[in-house]
Amino acid sequence: MSLYEAMFVLDNDAVRAGWADAKGIATGILEKHGAKVHTARRWDERRLAYPIRGKQRGTYLLTFVEAGADAIGPISRDLELEERVLRYLILSAEGVPAGEDDLSKAEQGADFVVPEPPRDDEPRPARVEEPAPEKEAGEKAEEKPAEGEAAEKAPADEAEKPAEAQAQPEGASAEESKPALATEAPKES
Amino acid sequence: MADYRSPAENANPQTGPDRIDYKDLDYLSKHLNPQGQIFSRRRTAFSTKRQRLLKQAVKRARHLALLPFVG
């Protein structure tokens, strides 16, 4: 048994149906082949760099699992057959990074909510993704009390994140995966 | 000039000199041109090993659609 880092790109349609179930697609396949899932957490939801099976966006699930070397082949086969997993990447890992455990456990709390993924045809954000919305939000907050039209003027890239921020609460413990403590200390400094 | 290729200078402070994480997109994109092509060793000033790690990480990121193959 050795430790693997496995990243999955999940179909947003499956994520909309419920995060616990969506997570279960990947972890279910892993556990079916005797792998022990240490951590599993939502890494990000983002626009794909290129469309995969017609999808423009996807949700990334990052897991650390312990599995036998001979289980990887069958796992890969099942993942290829699973249509809701758009892409996957399984790498050997030296240890579970610090903090990964906490992030994974936080997902199992009742108050953890997954934001509803934006629609595929959501307008593309402005060229620079990260700094732009923050700056816009800051400007908006400053200007809003003074003049109302500043908010209207804000470009479409603002609608990207906060617009559909309603999320459904997660089922308390629908996951059977229990993240155990890492056997090895993370070596990354 | 002697320090030009020093690993310490090239290393990502988060991951260290002998590792490049495919999830670290900010770091990877520093070594890509606007089309997503990897800069040459002459441009990155990386050691052979580190350039190979960069290549590996970029290819992993491309597979997961975190980075484009072209464009």
Side-chain angles (χ1 to χ4, degrees):
Chain A
M1 297 282 270
S2 35
L3 187 68
Y4 295 94
E5 170 183 347
M7 178 78 103
F8 304 91
V9 186
L10 299 174
D11 191 340
N12 271 351
D13 291 340
V15 176
R16 278 187 202 99
W19 175 238
D21 291 343
K23 199 154 84 168
I25 298 167
T27 55
I29 290 175
L30 294 168
E31 279 163 358
K32 183 179 143 193
H33 295 284
K36 188 179 170 204
V37 180
H38 285 291
T39 68
R41 71 168 173 104
R42 178 180 181 274
W43 182 69
D44 201 1
E45 194 285 328
R46 51 166 52 227
R47 174 176 290 277
L48 304 174
Y50 48 88
I52 302 175
R53 289 183 214 157
K55 308 283 180 200
Q56 299 283 355
R57 305 189 66 99
T59 300
Y60 288 79
L61 173 71
L62 178 63
T63 64
F64 283 86
V65 297
E66 208 168 315
D70 51 355
I72 299 300
I75 287 172
S76 302
R77 195 183 122 76
D78 276 2
L79 288 169
E80 291 287 350
L81 294 172
E82 176 54 68
E83 291 192 343
R84 291 166 295 179
V85 177
L86 301 177
R87 285 287 159 92
Y88 66 92
L89 179 69
I90 302 175
L91 303 172
S92 66
E94 288 182 8
V96 181
E100 199 66 31
D101 221 20
D102 296 336
L103 288 165
S104 174
K105 273 185 186 141
E107 286 209 357
Q108 297 183 347
D111 52 346
F112 180 79
V113 288
V114 175
E116 172 104 356
R119 292 202 325 274
D120 259 13
D121 52 2
E122 199 85 352
R124 206 174 248 278
R127 188 68 185 166
V128 189
E129 274 198 24
E130 269 88 50
E134 243 177 59
K135 199 180 139 207
E136 293 296 329
E139 274 175 16
K140 193 181 156 190
E142 282 168 22
E143 288 174 38
K144 207 172 185 178
E147 41 182 350
E149 67 163 292
E152 255 84 307
K153 251 170 53 183
D157 63 82
E158 238 228 270
E160 174 73 19
K161 278 169 194 170
E164 300 189 30
Q166 350 103 316
Q168 68 270 46
E170 179 154 342
S173 60
E175 251 336 277
E176 60 270 88
S177 65
K178 286 181 193 161
L181 281 174
T183 47
E184 296 171 358
K187 286 179 185 168
E188 294 184 358
S189 53
Chain B
M1 206 55 190
D3 288 343
Y4 186 59
R5 286 176 182 271
S6 76
E9 191 181 324
N10 292 331
N12 182 347
Q14 261 84 54
T15 52
D18 57 353
R19 196 157 302 158
I20 297 182
D21 190 0
Y22 69 92
K23 299 188 288 297
D24 192 352
L25 299 179
D26 286 342
Y27 182 76
L28 294 183
S29 53
K30 277 185 200 161
H31 304 291
L32 303 175
N33 73 10
Q35 276 77 45
Q37 291 177 310
I38 306 171
F39 282 139
S40 67
R41 274 191 67 203
R42 200 172 80 169
R43 173 72 187 264
T44 59
F46 276 1
S47 64
T48 312
K49 179 182 174 184
R50 195 156 175 81
Q51 184 77 5
R52 188 174 65 236
L53 293 172
L54 173 68
K55 175 186 79 176
Q56 189 63 260
V58 168
K59 289 183 174 182
R60 284 170 178 170
R62 283 175 181 165
H63 172 71
L64 289 172
L66 295 171
L67 292 175
F69 281 97
V70 290

